[in-house]
Amino acid sequence: MKRVLSVASECVPLAKTGGLADVVGALPGALAGQGWEMRVLLPAYRALRPLCADWPEVFARDDLFGGRGVVKAGEVDGIAVLLLDAPHLYDREGGPYNSGGADWPDNPQRFAALSWVAAEIARHGLVDGWRPQVLHAHDWQAGFAPAYLAFGGPRDVATVMTIHNIAFQGWAEASMLSTLRLPAHEFHAASLEYYGGLSSLKAGMVTADRITTVSPRYAEELMRPEFGMGLQGIVAARAAEVQGILNGVDESVWSPEAEAVPYTATRIRGKVANRAALCTEFGLEEVPGPLAIVVSRLTDQKGMDLLPEVLPEFIAAGGGLVMLGSGDPALESAMLDLAARFPGRVGVRIGYDEALSHRMFAGGDAVLVPSRFEPCGLTQMYGLRYGTIPVVAAVGGLADTVITANPAALAAGTATGIIFHPTDATAFAGALRQLAALHADVKLWAQIRRRAMAQPVGWAASAAAYARLYDGILRP
């Protein structure tokens, strides 16, 4: 088996704040069938320290950005895990990146340490003799890993930098250059310097052998200023080394056949029962039109600010909505106001509940994803899997995974959802009118639902693409 070290700040089932964790957790199993053994390195946050207390130490450094750090090796749900136990950096209350809404002030050092250890493992290996042939860094938290390897040698290990969301760039002051163990002669625009400071994401982008994004369209979008967020020049300059590889979903976890009332594309009666149960759970009356769901962070990036403007017309046309999410307090309040304004037709839960999200996909007719940018998105893939028709903006992975119900696609029998552009209230309202019209045509709606549920959304194709990428950059 060929060997790859995956470096990230999150991994299901150990730590999760978003889709990054799902991807990092799914890749090892998916790649095993492609001839690659992947081990995942991530911080031993406070909640994880008891888990690794009895695991063997496979790597140690006494001076790891202010204290001792050891790497412990174990296995969790079939994933070979390496936990970096450095209490001075990770043993604290709060989330992985912040507490009480404020970022940890030492985040540059905390994730530089993760990256430094990743590079050291790539350079020297573990005490059990395991050494990767490829180092795969995920997002800004691991961005310095390819840089440390590039600047410190030897370069017999290939590197990949994956951008899950370019909006988060790992900023640090230029004065931290030596603190972060970065060479002063690399502080220039073509290397580490970024608008007078440092960006760990940029560091990874300029030093890795390959850059990947989580969908082909997002790779193209990142070359434009409205999506590249200051790093579009780097993406464009390295276009030949940039590749978009779609994420997948764990089809054993996200499966309509495994829900409380199971169903399939050809035996859909269970979805009808799930719909009725979902309405009851949210206190909704009978919804004559499509029952839409939203499972999302409540942020402007996700287009949630558009809902108050477009929802009244949708409700008047017979639609209903159930929502699960949290985020911007103003948007949370706006969603609760919608529920109060349309009792019996709109239900809202603030927060996140994994089991409830499954019930929502099992019972909903459509899922709304009006994002202003979306690197890949998993929500629309869950919708396809469950026959919960995606209504999505024409950005990133949303546009790569949904076939819009235009006349040509309807005639060919290939439509799987509705795509609208631009991401504004006018276009979104038009998409909801189309949703209501399609749902009213019982035969056509059944065809679209069957086609959606037939779409491949698992990891097989994506894992094969990563394996080809790794194979293509292996050092002799």
Side-chain angles (χ1 to χ4, degrees):
M1 293 280 280
K2 292 164 283 189
R3 302 171 305 280
V4 56
L5 176 64
S6 177
V7 191
S9 59
E10 304 178 24
C11 176
V12 165
L14 298 170
K16 175 178 176 176
T17 68
L20 168 65
D22 295 298
V23 175
V24 174
L27 269 177
L31 281 164
Q34 301 291 331
W36 282 89
E37 176 196 358
M38 174 176 277
R39 298 191 184 185
V40 179
L41 174 69
L42 68 156
Y45 303 115
R46 174 168 291 184
L48 300 181
R49 296 194 73 211
L51 174 69
C52 66
D54 297 325
W55 291 3
E57 293 185 8
V58 294
F59 179 94
R61 289 292 184 271
D62 288 329
D63 183 19
L64 184 65
F65 294 85
R68 179 174 170 80
V70 301
V71 174
K72 298 184 176 184
E75 184 174 304
V76 179
D77 288 1
I79 302 171
V81 176
L82 301 172
L83 287 179
L84 173 56
D85 190 16
H88 61 292
L89 298 173
Y90 309 122
D91 186 13
R92 55 186 73 175
E93 286 294 332
Y97 320 118
N98 54 53
S99 180
D103 286 350
W104 298 112
D106 61 343
N107 271 350
Q109 295 97 315
R110 295 174 74 232
F111 293 103
L114 179 70
S115 295
W116 177 268
V117 168
E120 287 289 280
I121 292 172
R123 193 174 287 122
H124 304 295
L126 302 173
V127 297
D128 63 2
W130 190 89
R131 185 175 177 230
Q133 296 159 279
V134 174
L135 172 62
H136 189 162
H138 296 270
D139 262 353
W140 70 267
Q141 298 91 338
F144 282 135
Y148 287 137
L149 198 57
F151 300 148
R155 286 304 307 271
D156 60 339
V157 175
T159 53
V160 176
M161 182 77 234
T162 293
I163 303 169
H164 295 263
N165 190 339
I166 206 166
F168 302 99
Q169 301 179 353
W171 171 262
E173 297 289 344
S175 60
M176 297 191 70
L177 194 70
S178 61
T179 300
L180 299 179
R181 304 180 182 180
L182 295 165
H185 66 270
E186 292 290 344
F187 189 72
H188 55 85
S191 185
L192 293 177
E193 188 272 333
Y194 184 58
Y195 294 96
L198 297 165
S199 160
S200 55
L201 183 61
K202 182 193 175 184
M205 292 170 65
V206 299
T207 55
D209 294 305
R210 294 290 187 274
I211 299 169
T212 71
T213 69
V214 289
S215 72
R217 184 172 178 127
Y218 193 54
E220 297 171 1
E221 290 173 343
L222 292 187
M223 298 183 195
R224 302 203 297 270
E226 62 268 34
F227 292 102
M229 300 189 179
L231 290 167
Q232 62 272 10
I234 303 296
V235 182
R238 299 208 61 193
E241 292 87 38
V242 177
Q243 180 178 352
I245 300 176
L246 271 172
N247 289 337
V249 304
D250 188 334
E251 293 179 296
S252 66
V253 173
W254 293 93
S255 169
E257 296 92 345
E259 295 300 333
V261 183
Y263 64 95
T264 67
T266 56
R267 291 183 288 109
I268 205 69
R269 185 172 298 176
K271 189 167 183 65
V272 177
N274 287 322
R275 186 186 195 272
L278 185 62
C279 288
T280 299
E281 183 170 1
F282 276 83
L284 269 58
E285 303 163 353
E286 178 58 34
V287 177
L291 176 62
I293 68 168
V294 170
V295 181
S296 177
R297 285 186 290 112
L298 301 183
T299 66
D300 286 353
Q301 182 235 311
K302 297 292 186 180
M304 293 296 105
D305 56 304
L306 300 176
L307 278 171
E309 188 169 350
V310 303
L311 201 60
E313 180 185 346
F314 180 62
I315 297 298
L321 176 74
V322 293
M323 167 178 284
L324 173 65
S326 63
D328 184 332
L331 287 174
E332 290 182 0
S333 178
M335 298 306 119
L336 292 170
D337 287 346
L338 284 172
R341 183 178 172 188
F342 300 105
R345 296 292 285 278
V346 176
V348 173
R349 298 280 177 86
I350 301 300
Y352 185 70
D353 181 327
E354 187 90 0
L356 175 56
S357 70
H358 276 255
R359 296 195 296 275
M360 290 172 66
F361 279 102
D365 294 313
V367 57
L368 311 183
V369 195
S371 301
R372 289 184 168 85
F373 66 91
E374 194 66 67
C376 178
L378 299 178
T379 302
Q380 83 282 5
M381 294 189 191
Y382 300 149
L384 292 169
R385 180 89 169 105
Y386 280 73
T388 304
I389 303 305
V391 179
V392 305
V395 294
L398 303 179
D400 282 334
T401 52
V402 177
I403 301 171
T404 196
N406 59 32
L410 289 171
T414 58
T416 62
I418 297 169
I419 300 177
F420 64 92
H421 177 78
T423 307
D424 61 20
T426 300
F428 191 14
L432 293 179
R433 284 193 292 272
Q434 184 182 11
L435 171 63
L438 290 173
H439 184 265
D441 187 328
V442 176
K443 183 178 178 180
L444 181 57
W445 183 258
Q447 291 173 351
I448 295 171
R449 187 169 54 203
R450 282 195 298 270
R451 173 60 60 180
M453 296 181 74
Q455 295 303 295
V457 295
W459 272 103
S462 302
Y466 276 116
R468 288 192 297 272
L469 172 66
Y470 296 158
D471 286 334
I473 59 175
L474 280 175
R475 299 283 194 266

